[in-house]
């Protein structure tokens, strides 16, 4: 199963350590970007995801504890075909060198394996925003 463990930095620069990061394929059948999610395998991940990502995560072992984020993280959408993309959590804060290297590597990868690359940003709830009010 393609579940990794890493450090996630939010857009507002809050750091969460030991976060579970699940990579998987999404097949789009109804025209919506959210389709059926199925976990990928490490071989597929290595084929499409740049090395900078793997340098900052580790494979999650069965007995390793990890936390879930209190909000929906940002994801890269690596479109393999017009109806199938690999959804990859992006643990790097926008504006950092790692973030830039991740997306630059995807955009200029040779040979071209992806149809296109997209991103979904963080989504936070009002409960999450209360953290900053206190």
């Amino acid at each position: 199963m393609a579940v990794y463990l890493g450090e996630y930095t939010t857009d507002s620069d809050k750091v969460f350590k030991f976060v579970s990061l699940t990579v998987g394929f999404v097949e789009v059948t109804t025209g919506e970007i959210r389709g059926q999610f199925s976990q990928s395998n490490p071989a597929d991940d290595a084929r499409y995801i740049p090395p900078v990502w793997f340098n900052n995560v580790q494979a999650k072992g069965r007995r390793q504890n990890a936390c879930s984020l209190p909000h929906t993280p940002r994801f890269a959408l690596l479109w393999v075909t017009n109806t199938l993309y690999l959804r990859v959590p992006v643990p790097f804060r926008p504006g950092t060198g790692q973030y830039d290297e991740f997306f630059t590597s995807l955009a200029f990868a040779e040979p071209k394996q992806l149809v296109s690359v997209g991103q979904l940003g963080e989504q936070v709830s009002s409960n999450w925003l209360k953290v900053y009010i206190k």
Side-chain angles (χ1 to χ4, degrees):
M1 295 178 19
V3 180
Y4 300 89
L5 189 63
E7 184 175 286
Y8 183 93
T9 305
T10 66
D11 290 351
S12 58
D13 212 24
K14 184 164 179 64
V15 177
F16 292 91
K17 296 184 181 288
F18 308 111
V19 173
S20 180
L21 304 169
T22 305
V23 176
F25 285 102
V26 178
E27 187 166 5
V28 179
T29 56
T30 62
E32 294 182 18
I33 200 161
R34 301 187 202 300
Q36 184 65 33
F37 179 82
S38 60
Q39 287 184 338
S40 61
N41 63 56
D44 285 328
D45 297 348
R47 179 176 178 196
Y48 297 112
I49 301 173
V52 65
W53 194 85
F54 289 104
N55 293 341
N56 290 278
V57 300
Q58 62 185 25
K60 183 179 178 292
R62 286 185 170 183
R63 297 191 178 165
Q64 283 181 297
N65 291 328
C67 68
S68 297
L69 292 169
H71 66 289
T72 304
R74 72 187 81 79
F75 291 102
L77 310 179
L78 313 184
W79 290 89
V80 178
T81 70
N82 290 330
T83 59
L84 180 72
Y85 65 86
L86 185 63
R87 189 182 78 181
V88 181
V90 181
F92 318 117
R93 187 176 58 80
T96 63
Q98 292 169 319
Y99 179 91
D100 293 344
E101 183 180 345
F102 177 78
F103 281 101
T104 302
S105 298
L106 290 169
F108 298 105
E110 289 296 334
K112 296 284 184 204
Q113 299 183 60
L114 302 172
V115 174
S116 67
V117 175
Q119 181 184 354
L120 289 176
E122 289 183 354
Q123 298 174 14
V124 297
S125 69
S126 59
N127 290 335
W128 171 245
L129 295 175
K130 289 177 186 176
V131 170
Y132 294 98
I133 296 172
K134 292 181 180 182

